[in-house]
Amino acid sequence: MNKKNIKVNDLIFQTVTKIVVFIIILYSLHLFFSGHYTPGGGFVGGLMTSSALVLLLLAYDVKTVKNILPFNYINIAASGLLIAVLTGLGSLFFKVPFLTHSFKYVDLPLLGETSLATAVLFDLAVYLVVIGVTMTIIQTIGETE
Amino acid sequence: MNNLIILPLVIPLLAGIILIFFHKKIKAQKIISFIASVLFIIIASAVVQNVHLNGIQTLEIGSWRAPYGIIFVADMYSSLLVLTTSIIGLTSLLFAFSTTTAKRGNFYFYPSIQFLLAGVTGAFLTGDIFNLFVFFEVMLMSSYVLIVLGSEKAQLRESIKYILVNIISSALFVITVAYLYAVTGTLNMADLSEKIAATGQTGLLTVIAILFLIVFGLKGAIFPLFFWLPGSYEAPPAAIKALFGALLTKVGVYSITRVYTLLFYHDTGFTHEILAWLSALTIIFGAIGAIAYSNITKIIIYNIITAVGVILFGVAAFTEASVEGSIYYLIHDMIIKAALFFLVGTVIAITGTSHLRKFSGLIKPYPLLGWLFFVAAISLAGIPPLSGFIGKLKIVQGGFEAGQFTIAVIVLLSSLLVLYSVMKIFINGFWGEQRKEQELRKIPINRLLFPTVILIVLSIVYGLGVESISPYVSQAAEGLLNPSIYIEAVLKE
């Protein structure tokens, strides 16, 4: 994306991106949280979030996006894996088999009666790994000369 | 329920994940992966002892009852293999510490090794056929990384072949599992075994059994599906060759053994007869390759193929002696192949060439290296006090008991050719005068030989201490010969 050589003005694209990225991210979070009862979950949520980031990459260049979101995506993927394994290991402390999940109904201030499940933690891990891996692949290919 | 048996999987997995965070700090990586491997060995020995004392251990992952959830099963056969895997893992790491350059070490070399160990361990321990597929993929993904890391020309070329073959065989694996699921409606191995036994092995199930033979044969390199192996295994550096040669094909062998002893044992006249002849051809072609080459790496690689044939013949003959023999031989072969790859890697590091005609007279400057190679070579061929003897003896005995005289004689004759092929390296490379034009590189030879010494000593102890190992092996063989023991432990009716 060398702006000096190509005289293009992508003002419309960049302006639309600024709004649309938030909508996509909100939708991806919705997909992520709805995974337990309706279609959705960590994998598609993660892909959706990374598609929002890819849209940013298309509208701006790699450097700008790195300045906005200064993440090391490989570490994000690794923390995702870590969360997944630790969720599994957590069950060892309660003397139940590896990866045994549990859930509980809790009254939250705004949301009312909600079931909080440890399976969400595992899904969060999937979400992080998917974002980390997708963005690593795309940025690595994008940066190679 | 026994959470101990998940730990051999969790330790390398966790270590691999933690290593990703430290991928630029080589010293930290070495320390963490060393600690993890030692821990792995300790846990694996604890599992073996636990299974020996208390019978087959199972763990229902996520507390879901057996046919419905994934179940981990540590019987004696798989836990012995896990223990051997952990030992190979540690020695390969020790060898890699002194041979791996920063060019590789900085780019997720050590995490990939840990993930490879996790995949192999998972494949040995799982009791679910689709979960076995997943662990195959974990193992293969890490092996793709390890085979291509370093980006030399040969590595790039061979990794394309390797990945292509393995993707095709993985797709075939999924299709075969789909057929099996369509016929039986279950994926849990114990439940599968019961369902197959209840309906009798129909023609459709025999077809699926042969499809499994093709799938695992591609992974484990049996005739005529071994064509990808000689090139692919030559590409990566020596420490990785040892890991591949000792572990990857053996997972295919393990899977064939598991599937043909637990699931498809009703029509042995057809399936096991095919397996027996394929293993005979595997032995013959491996031996031909081993004597044909004068490239020392290629010789060892073709010896892997021969050994795969010998082990599978033990399974195909399906008598008590031959199954015991194949277990003895499998463990011996994992240890000795790793040792041989280390030795060949050391020789190449010294001489700078893998061609047998380009160096000689190594015994004088490097006596320890020479005698270690000699012991490894005669152990590979199966000379009595060493570890290769008991396995082959029992396999041949079982072969005669089963009436497979021709193949049993082939196994015996193959020992001669194997001995010839490795002695060729010893006589041409170590004896004689040193060549004038050849210069020997100065390398830290003691550090390279240390992991080899561990393995050779282990192999000698294994050979001399058969008496004390035999209760473990006969327990493993008993589990393979009586599927009901496995089924009862898993399904607990």
Side-chain angles (χ1 to χ4, degrees), chain B residues 401-416:
Chain B
E401 279 169 11
Q404 301 271 24
F405 297 105
T406 328
I407 307 178
V409 171
I410 291 176
V411 171
L412 282 176
L413 289 179
S414 77
S415 297
L416 267 183

PDB file of all heavy atoms in Angstrom, chain B residues 401-416:
ATOM      1  N   GLU B 401       5.009 -70.926  15.086  1.00  0.00           N
ATOM      2  CA  GLU B 401       3.811 -71.476  15.726  1.00  0.00           C
ATOM      3  C   GLU B 401       2.578 -71.240  14.873  1.00  0.00           C
ATOM      4  O   GLU B 401       1.683 -72.073  14.800  1.00  0.00           O
ATOM      5  CB  GLU B 401       3.602 -70.831  17.104  1.00  0.00           C
ATOM      6  CG  GLU B 401       4.463 -71.434  18.186  1.00  0.00           C
ATOM      7  CD  GLU B 401       4.417 -70.605  19.457  1.00  0.00           C
ATOM      8  OE1 GLU B 401       3.566 -69.699  19.556  1.00  0.00           O
ATOM      9  OE2 GLU B 401       5.249 -70.872  20.347  1.00  0.00           O
ATOM     10  N   ALA B 402       2.530 -70.061  14.215  1.00  0.00           N
ATOM     11  CA  ALA B 402       1.365 -69.738  13.403  1.00  0.00           C
ATOM     12  C   ALA B 402       1.430 -70.394  12.032  1.00  0.00           C
ATOM     13  O   ALA B 402       0.522 -70.225  11.228  1.00  0.00           O
ATOM     14  CB  ALA B 402       1.250 -68.224  13.253  1.00  0.00           C
ATOM     15  N   GLY B 403       2.510 -71.089  11.746  1.00  0.00           N
ATOM     16  CA  GLY B 403       2.624 -71.766  10.460  1.00  0.00           C
ATOM     17  C   GLY B 403       3.103 -70.877   9.336  1.00  0.00           C
ATOM     18  O   GLY B 403       3.015 -71.250   8.169  1.00  0.00           O
ATOM     19  N   GLN B 404       3.595 -69.667   9.673  1.00  0.00           N
ATOM     20  CA  GLN B 404       4.083 -68.747   8.631  1.00  0.00           C
ATOM     21  C   GLN B 404       5.576 -68.976   8.430  1.00  0.00           C
ATOM     22  O   GLN B 404       6.395 -68.104   8.711  1.00  0.00           O
ATOM     23  CB  GLN B 404       3.854 -67.285   9.068  1.00  0.00           C
ATOM     24  CG  GLN B 404       2.424 -66.936   9.349  1.00  0.00           C
ATOM     25  CD  GLN B 404       1.710 -66.457   8.120  1.00  0.00           C
ATOM     26  OE1 GLN B 404       2.105 -66.770   7.001  1.00  0.00           O
ATOM     27  NE2 GLN B 404       0.660 -65.684   8.304  1.00  0.00           N
ATOM     28  N   PHE B 405       5.936 -70.147   7.907  1.00  0.00           N
ATOM     29  CA  PHE B 405       7.354 -70.518   7.862  1.00  0.00           C
ATOM     30  C   PHE B 405       8.152 -69.585   6.947  1.00  0.00           C
ATOM     31  O   PHE B 405       9.233 -69.123   7.304  1.00  0.00           O
ATOM     32  CB  PHE B 405       7.501 -71.972   7.426  1.00  0.00           C
ATOM     33  CG  PHE B 405       6.878 -72.920   8.377  1.00  0.00           C
ATOM     34  CD1 PHE B 405       5.670 -73.530   8.081  1.00  0.00           C
ATOM     35  CD2 PHE B 405       7.467 -73.174   9.605  1.00  0.00           C
ATOM     36  CE1 PHE B 405       5.069 -74.381   8.982  1.00  0.00           C
ATOM     37  CE2 PHE B 405       6.887 -74.039  10.505  1.00  0.00           C
ATOM     38  CZ  PHE B 405       5.679 -74.636  10.191  1.00  0.00           C
ATOM     39  N   THR B 406       7.594 -69.297   5.754  1.00  0.00           N
ATOM     40  CA  THR B 406       8.335 -68.493   4.784  1.00  0.00           C
ATOM     41  C   THR B 406       8.705 -67.140   5.368  1.00  0.00           C
ATOM     42  O   THR B 406       9.859 -66.703   5.309  1.00  0.00           O
ATOM     43  CB  THR B 406       7.469 -68.271   3.527  1.00  0.00           C
ATOM     44  OG1 THR B 406       6.644 -69.403   3.347  1.00  0.00           O
ATOM     45  CG2 THR B 406       8.327 -67.997   2.328  1.00  0.00           C
ATOM     46  N   ILE B 407       7.694 -66.464   5.943  1.00  0.00           N
ATOM     47  CA  ILE B 407       7.947 -65.105   6.417  1.00  0.00           C
ATOM     48  C   ILE B 407       8.884 -65.123   7.621  1.00  0.00           C
ATOM     49  O   ILE B 407       9.748 -64.257   7.768  1.00  0.00           O
ATOM     50  CB  ILE B 407       6.624 -64.389   6.745  1.00  0.00           C
ATOM     51  CG1 ILE B 407       5.693 -64.472   5.539  1.00  0.00           C
ATOM     52  CG2 ILE B 407       6.862 -62.949   7.112  1.00  0.00           C
ATOM     53  CD1 ILE B 407       4.353 -63.851   5.733  1.00  0.00           C
ATOM     54  N   ALA B 408       8.743 -66.153   8.465  1.00  0.00           N
ATOM     55  CA  ALA B 408       9.641 -66.246   9.622  1.00  0.00           C
ATOM     56  C   ALA B 408      11.088 -66.392   9.161  1.00  0.00           C
ATOM     57  O   ALA B 408      12.004 -65.790   9.744  1.00  0.00           O
ATOM     58  CB  ALA B 408       9.240 -67.425  10.502  1.00  0.00           C
ATOM     59  N   VAL B 409      11.296 -67.165   8.094  1.00  0.00           N
ATOM     60  CA  VAL B 409      12.654 -67.302   7.556  1.00  0.00           C
ATOM     61  C   VAL B 409      13.124 -65.981   6.952  1.00  0.00           C
ATOM     62  O   VAL B 409      14.291 -65.594   7.113  1.00  0.00           O
ATOM     63  CB  VAL B 409      12.700 -68.449   6.513  1.00  0.00           C
ATOM     64  CG1 VAL B 409      14.039 -68.462   5.802  1.00  0.00           C
ATOM     65  CG2 VAL B 409      12.466 -69.774   7.206  1.00  0.00           C
ATOM     66  N   ILE B 410      12.190 -65.246   6.313  1.00  0.00           N
ATOM     67  CA  ILE B 410      12.554 -63.925   5.776  1.00  0.00           C
ATOM     68  C   ILE B 410      13.025 -63.012   6.904  1.00  0.00           C
ATOM     69  O   ILE B 410      14.023 -62.294   6.773  1.00  0.00           O
ATOM     70  CB  ILE B 410      11.351 -63.286   5.037  1.00  0.00           C
ATOM     71  CG1 ILE B 410      11.059 -64.048   3.748  1.00  0.00           C
ATOM     72  CG2 ILE B 410      11.624 -61.824   4.721  1.00  0.00           C
ATOM     73  CD1 ILE B 410       9.844 -63.551   3.013  1.00  0.00           C
ATOM     74  N   VAL B 411      12.306 -63.059   8.051  1.00  0.00           N
ATOM     75  CA  VAL B 411      12.712 -62.227   9.191  1.00  0.00           C
ATOM     76  C   VAL B 411      14.130 -62.583   9.620  1.00  0.00           C
ATOM     77  O   VAL B 411      14.969 -61.709   9.874  1.00  0.00           O
ATOM     78  CB  VAL B 411      11.729 -62.410  10.376  1.00  0.00           C
ATOM     79  CG1 VAL B 411      12.254 -61.730  11.621  1.00  0.00           C
ATOM     80  CG2 VAL B 411      10.367 -61.863  10.020  1.00  0.00           C
ATOM     81  N   LEU B 412      14.417 -63.902   9.676  1.00  0.00           N
ATOM     82  CA  LEU B 412      15.758 -64.337  10.081  1.00  0.00           C
ATOM     83  C   LEU B 412      16.819 -63.843   9.096  1.00  0.00           C
ATOM     84  O   LEU B 412      17.859 -63.307   9.488  1.00  0.00           O
ATOM     85  CB  LEU B 412      15.809 -65.862  10.172  1.00  0.00           C
ATOM     86  CG  LEU B 412      15.196 -66.457  11.426  1.00  0.00           C
ATOM     87  CD1 LEU B 412      15.231 -67.962  11.350  1.00  0.00           C
ATOM     88  CD2 LEU B 412      15.948 -65.972  12.649  1.00  0.00           C
ATOM     89  N   LEU B 413      16.533 -64.027   7.797  1.00  0.00           N
ATOM     90  CA  LEU B 413      17.519 -63.629   6.794  1.00  0.00           C
ATOM     91  C   LEU B 413      17.713 -62.121   6.774  1.00  0.00           C
ATOM     92  O   LEU B 413      18.814 -61.631   6.522  1.00  0.00           O
ATOM     93  CB  LEU B 413      17.079 -64.118   5.405  1.00  0.00           C
ATOM     94  CG  LEU B 413      17.185 -65.628   5.204  1.00  0.00           C
ATOM     95  CD1 LEU B 413      16.706 -65.994   3.816  1.00  0.00           C
ATOM     96  CD2 LEU B 413      18.615 -66.086   5.411  1.00  0.00           C
ATOM     97  N   SER B 414      16.623 -61.385   7.058  1.00  0.00           N
ATOM     98  CA  SER B 414      16.740 -59.922   7.029  1.00  0.00           C
ATOM     99  C   SER B 414      17.757 -59.443   8.071  1.00  0.00           C
ATOM    100  O   SER B 414      18.437 -58.442   7.861  1.00  0.00           O
ATOM    101  CB  SER B 414      15.383 -59.280   7.276  1.00  0.00           C
ATOM    102  OG  SER B 414      15.054 -59.333   8.638  1.00  0.00           O
ATOM    103  N   SER B 415      17.875 -60.199   9.184  1.00  0.00           N
ATOM    104  CA  SER B 415      18.852 -59.802  10.208  1.00  0.00           C
ATOM    105  C   SER B 415      20.256 -59.763   9.631  1.00  0.00           C
ATOM    106  O   SER B 415      21.049 -58.878   9.940  1.00  0.00           O
ATOM    107  CB  SER B 415      18.829 -60.787  11.366  1.00  0.00           C
ATOM    108  OG  SER B 415      17.591 -60.753  11.976  1.00  0.00           O
ATOM    109  N   LEU B 416      20.548 -60.750   8.772  1.00  0.00           N
ATOM    110  CA  LEU B 416      21.871 -60.796   8.141  1.00  0.00           C
ATOM    111  C   LEU B 416      22.116 -59.552   7.308  1.00  0.00           C
ATOM    112  O   LEU B 416      23.168 -58.909   7.393  1.00  0.00           O
ATOM    113  CB  LEU B 416      21.948 -62.027   7.227  1.00  0.00           C
ATOM    114  CG  LEU B 416      22.506 -63.296   7.836  1.00  0.00           C
ATOM    115  CD1 LEU B 416      22.577 -64.364   6.772  1.00  0.00           C
ATOM    116  CD2 LEU B 416      23.886 -63.014   8.399  1.00  0.00           C
TER     117      LEU B 416
END
